[in-house]
């Protein structure tokens, strides 16, 4: 897969990013707007999530129905959702329809109606999503873990709370949209079957007159951390834990990714072997790396029947710790191959590429080529990983348990 | 995306299918073996699922660890799982490693150790998966619906039952594997960066001496149908319903797919508009088409808070019924564009293509080109859909509810 990158910044600050991919027909867009749930004012938690729903209920010349019809008629698959730091708008369509979809997307961003009729259904959906969390303890466990692990409000549950949603008024959300929908910190990435010049022309037509303003970053409070057990009469104990890591822009990032891959990448990884294959303790166990702009962590999740929860937790934490005792060359070779193969395979998906471009720009202010990533992975040594683990030792975990009982964490 | 298809049958009956995709580096395989859970003998329900886990715990010259290491070292992402009619083995890797992965896969299929040491962990994992269903009511709802909608044992829960797993012995599963792992009804599909001749040579080396036998198809019993309410203190009422449709090989298949797309494809679809956008009743609502070899259905799922369950169910069934009253040209145009765009986008993924090749061959005994699919979608008229709905009217539903209470189904 050849890599042809393009970047351009409009005078109002909007960053345009592109990658042309040969031999595909599709093109995917990823637009990040600095309007994530971390920007929700106190008392209106969930506003960003409501905004993401509400924006597509009529915009510019389209009412709700016309907007959906227009996107459907272009064969566009789209998704709008609030994350911690951004609202993300993503679309996938054939390359030949890209500019038309972009035009509609710009109406959603710049001229959403946000009329009263659409507000209650939009808020109702977020309330539904909050309720659905109760029936998905695995997802809830990870949402609550993030909330306690990251400094508030960065890890906040994007759906807010029942009380904040119930008291939320139209104007609360309108104020958020006015304040945070701004080009200067927004990133629009496109990948696939694109004509970069035509795309830039369309983006300028759509966005050049979008007035810029600065969004003040939220001031994070110290993370809560500690241990939380949410009692629930569930069949399994859901076990989640997190420890701090380095951010995506840190030079030690690749060492962190290699450590996670040795631990949890593939069927021969340590966690899989020790927890799943040898002991049959759990069906799912994994450690994942996650990074915000200024904070990052290693997030581990497993679910086991209550009788095996303590053993599952002990073996899992034991494997996290054991990384510091050394890593074999064969493990390094496997981890390298896995990371690089996964990169190449993800590189074949236009939507994965559009997301990666936007993410690179947000975290690094530049784009990374496949070769740069591959070389950086090859360059990581065992000593690099051990040094990373000395800087970010797997301890001082934030623990989150959902289930009839919580395993004992003493000594962990 | 160009389409170069290849087919070949080995003398023992194994079917090889291939599609070369230009400009990708990856290649994906999908191997279907006629060993699905429908073939589990009475009393050993879940044997196929255990077999899928157990087969990768040592095979040919590899012990469990070596097998996982070898696949990891090739950057191979793999998945083994029991479905109704098949055990599916799927792998994704770079094209240059394809033949090496195939060699390992053939050991898993032909020479799995199935030793006692691996049995308990494999069975334990399936027990865990069965337990995890209790904590995922949405998934459980759809599993139970399929169980009651399809003739037994075709829709059976692949994980079996706690009792059948608890009493299951090594030899029960070994017998299943000996009986059902056979080339004559197996299909091996590959898509991506492939050299077809090299692939065929490797497949012949690996599989030519695999002895053939015939697997007797299970004799289905009439479906149970009706209404089942599983009482659970969940936050939402999970609502699932199914009605019969035509199979994938039926000439009316494309009319059925168009009907489902008008109903549930995209943001402008009827269900989305009426249930989600206008009324904000639920976050997720969808109707999906699903086909086994000789039976098929339209499966609808929604989850709502208990107070809105009855309205959600009524509006949803109302929309299913209203299809028969007519479909506008604009809806037809949108549905066509959506189906065709989705086809093209899926066509860019090597793993999606490998699965489609295997599925086409199983259901139709031949491969369909993108052009054939596209032409068939274009050819569907409103009258075709109305005729389909007369043949398969959305009524006589099988209902499945999980939640504190079940909505009244009288009159539906």
């Amino acid at each position: 897969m050849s890599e042809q990158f393009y970047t351009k910044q409009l005078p109002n600050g909007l960053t345009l990013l592109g990658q042309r991919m040969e031999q595909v027909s599709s093109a995917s867009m990823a637009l990040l707007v600095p309007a994530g749930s971390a920007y929700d004012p106190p008392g209106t938690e969930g506003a960003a999530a409501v905004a993401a729903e509400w924006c597509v209920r009529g915009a510019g010349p389209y009412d709700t129905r016309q907007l959906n019809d227009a996107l459907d008629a272009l064969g566009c698959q789209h998704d709008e959702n609030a994350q911690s730091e951004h609202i993300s708008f993503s679309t996938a369509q054939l390359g030949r329809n890209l500019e038309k979809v972009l035009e509609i997307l710009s109406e959603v961003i710049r001229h959403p109606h946000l009329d009263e009729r659409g507000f209650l259904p939009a808020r109702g959906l977020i309330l539904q999503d909050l309720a659905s969390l109760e029936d998905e303890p695995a997802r809830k466990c990870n949402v609550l873990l993030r909330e306690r692990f990251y400094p508030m409000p960065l890890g906040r549950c994007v759906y807010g709370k029942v009380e904040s949603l119930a008291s939320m008024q139209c104007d609360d959300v309108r104020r958020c949209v006015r304040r945070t929908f701004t080009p200067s910190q927004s990133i629009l990435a496109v990948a696939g079957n694109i004509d970069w010049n035509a795309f830039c022309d369309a983006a300028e037509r759509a966005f050049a007159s979008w007035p810029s303003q600065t969004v003040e970053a939220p001031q994070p409070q110290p993370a809560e951390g500690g241990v939380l057990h949410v009692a629930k009469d569930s069949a399994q104990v859901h076990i989640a834990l997190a420890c701090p890591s380095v951010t995506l822009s840190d030079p030690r990032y690749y060492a962190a990714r290699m450590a996670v891959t040795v631990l949890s990448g593939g069927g021969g990884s340590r966690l899989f072997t020790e927890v799943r294959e040898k002991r049959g303790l759990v069906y799912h166990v994994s450690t994942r790396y996650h990074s915000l702009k200024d904070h990052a962590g290693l997030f581990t999740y497993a679910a086991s029947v209550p009788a095996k929860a303590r053993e599952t937790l002990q073996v899992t934490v034991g494997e996290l710790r054991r990384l510091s005792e050394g890593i074999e060359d064969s493990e390094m070779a496997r981890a390298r191959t896995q990371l690089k193969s996964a990169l190449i395979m993800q590189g074949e998906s236009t939507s994965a590429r559009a997301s990666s471009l936007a993410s690179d720009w947000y975290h690094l202010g530049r784009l990374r080529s496949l070769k740069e990533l591959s070389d950086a992975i090859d360059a990581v040594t065992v000593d690099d990983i051990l040094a990373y683990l000395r800087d970010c030792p797997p301890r001082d975990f934030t623990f989150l348990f959902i289930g009839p009982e919580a395993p004992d964490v003493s000594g962990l």
Side-chain angles (χ1 to χ4, degrees), chain A:
Chain A
M1 190 67 68
S2 67
E3 291 183 290
Q4 298 170 260
F5 291 142
Y6 306 95
T7 64
K8 175 165 188 165
Q9 195 168 37
L10 300 190
N12 61 8
L14 176 66
T15 301
L16 307 180
L17 307 171
Q19 179 180 358
R20 178 160 172 77
M21 292 159 70
E22 302 295 337
Q23 294 285 342
V24 299
S25 306
S26 71
S28 293
M29 277 193 284
L31 171 61
L32 299 180
V33 177
S37 59
Y39 295 89
D40 292 344
T44 61
E45 293 86 358
V50 174
E53 278 297 335
W54 200 10
C55 280
V56 289
R57 290 167 181 269
Y62 308 101
D63 68 18
T64 309
R65 181 62 191 266
Q66 290 164 336
L67 184 68
N68 281 320
D69 282 356
L71 289 169
D72 286 355
L74 293 165
C76 172
Q77 297 171 359
H78 59 102
D79 183 55
E80 302 75 33
N81 70 80
Q83 304 166 348
S84 168
E85 294 162 316
H86 297 103
I87 293 181
S88 154
F89 298 85
S90 52
T91 76
Q93 57 281 313
L94 300 188
R96 63 168 182 261
N97 292 330
L98 177 64
E99 280 79 26
K100 286 180 204 140
V101 171
L102 177 61
E103 197 184 312
I104 298 171
L105 180 62
S106 75
E107 298 290 353
V108 169
I109 305 298
R110 298 197 50 196
H111 308 117
H113 295 172
L114 303 180
D115 56 20
E116 291 211 29
R117 214 176 29 177
F119 177 70
L120 285 182
R123 190 182 65 170
L125 289 180
I126 304 307
L127 275 162
Q128 293 270 353
D129 221 345
L130 193 59
S132 76
L133 219 48
E134 296 307 311
D135 290 349
E136 298 173 55
R139 193 158 68 97
K140 181 175 177 178
C141 199
N142 287 299
V143 165
L144 292 183
L145 175 63
R146 203 178 272 204
E147 196 154 77
R148 294 172 69 91
F149 172 75
Y150 281 125
M152 257 301 165
L154 300 177
R156 169 191 285 169
C157 170
V158 297
Y159 312 126
K161 307 167 191 165
V162 173
E163 311 82 56
S164 64
L165 288 167
S167 65
M168 192 178 289
Q169 302 297 316
C170 291
D171 279 339
D172 296 327
V173 182
R174 288 185 187 127
R175 262 194 301 276
C176 288
V177 170
R178 268 199 303 272
R179 192 167 51 86
T180 58
F181 277 42
T182 173
S184 56
Q185 286 145 276
S186 291
I187 300 167
L188 173 59
V190 63
N193 175 20
I194 62 166
D195 174 336
W196 175 247
N197 290 329
F199 178 77
C200 286
D201 288 348
E204 286 193 43
R205 276 195 305 276
F207 289 115
S209 65
W210 189 10
S212 194
Q213 57 189 351
T214 301
V215 188
E216 247 176 72
Q219 293 303 317
Q221 304 300 311
E224 199 167 1
V227 183
L228 179 66
H229 171 220
V230 178
K232 186 179 173 78
D233 182 25
S234 54
Q236 303 174 290
V237 178
H238 299 267
I239 298 169
L241 51 145
C243 60
S245 184
V246 296
T247 62
L248 202 144
S249 61
D250 190 287
R252 294 163 295 180
Y253 163 73
Y254 296 97
R257 288 297 303 274
M258 281 289 285
V260 169
T261 306
V262 167
L263 187 70
S264 181
S269 67
R270 292 184 178 188
L271 270 185
F272 208 82
T273 302
E274 296 301 324
V275 181
R276 189 183 195 278
E277 299 298 296
K278 281 197 193 159
R279 294 181 179 82
L281 287 169
V282 302
Y283 197 86
H284 296 288
V285 59
S286 66
T287 297
R288 295 280 170 265
Y289 169 87
H290 181 262
S291 181
L292 298 173
K293 182 91 170 196
D294 298 318
H295 304 271
L298 304 190
F299 289 76
T300 300
Y301 169 80
S304 91
V305 292
K308 293 182 176 172
R310 168 82 180 147
E311 186 184 357
T312 299
L313 179 62
Q314 278 185 317
V315 175
T316 301
V317 171
E319 289 306 319
L320 276 154
R321 294 265 164 74
R322 197 164 64 84
L323 279 176
S324 312
E325 295 170 15
I327 296 168
E328 290 178 31
D329 288 344
S330 61
E331 291 181 292
M332 293 293 286
R334 281 196 298 111
R336 271 189 209 108
T337 305
Q338 285 189 283
L339 278 175
K340 291 193 289 182
S341 300
L343 272 177
I344 295 173
M345 291 193 266
Q346 284 158 18
E348 294 172 358
S349 151
T350 59
S351 58
R353 282 309 305 156
S355 294
S356 292
L357 296 180
S359 167
D360 271 10
W361 197 267
Y362 176 62
H363 287 282
L364 305 168
R366 63 185 189 84
L367 304 179
R368 294 176 297 177
S369 69
L370 199 55
K371 174 147 195 341
E372 174 183 345
L373 287 162
S374 181
D375 288 349
I377 290 164
D378 280 338
V380 174
T381 65
V382 172
D383 283 345
D384 292 336
I385 299 180
L386 298 181
Y388 158 75
L389 290 165
R390 278 192 299 276
D391 295 343
C392 300
R395 60 176 187 232
D396 297 330
F397 292 104
T398 302
F399 290 102
L400 210 305
F401 305 111
I402 298 182
E405 57 204 63
D408 181 12
V409 301
S410 57
L412 305 178

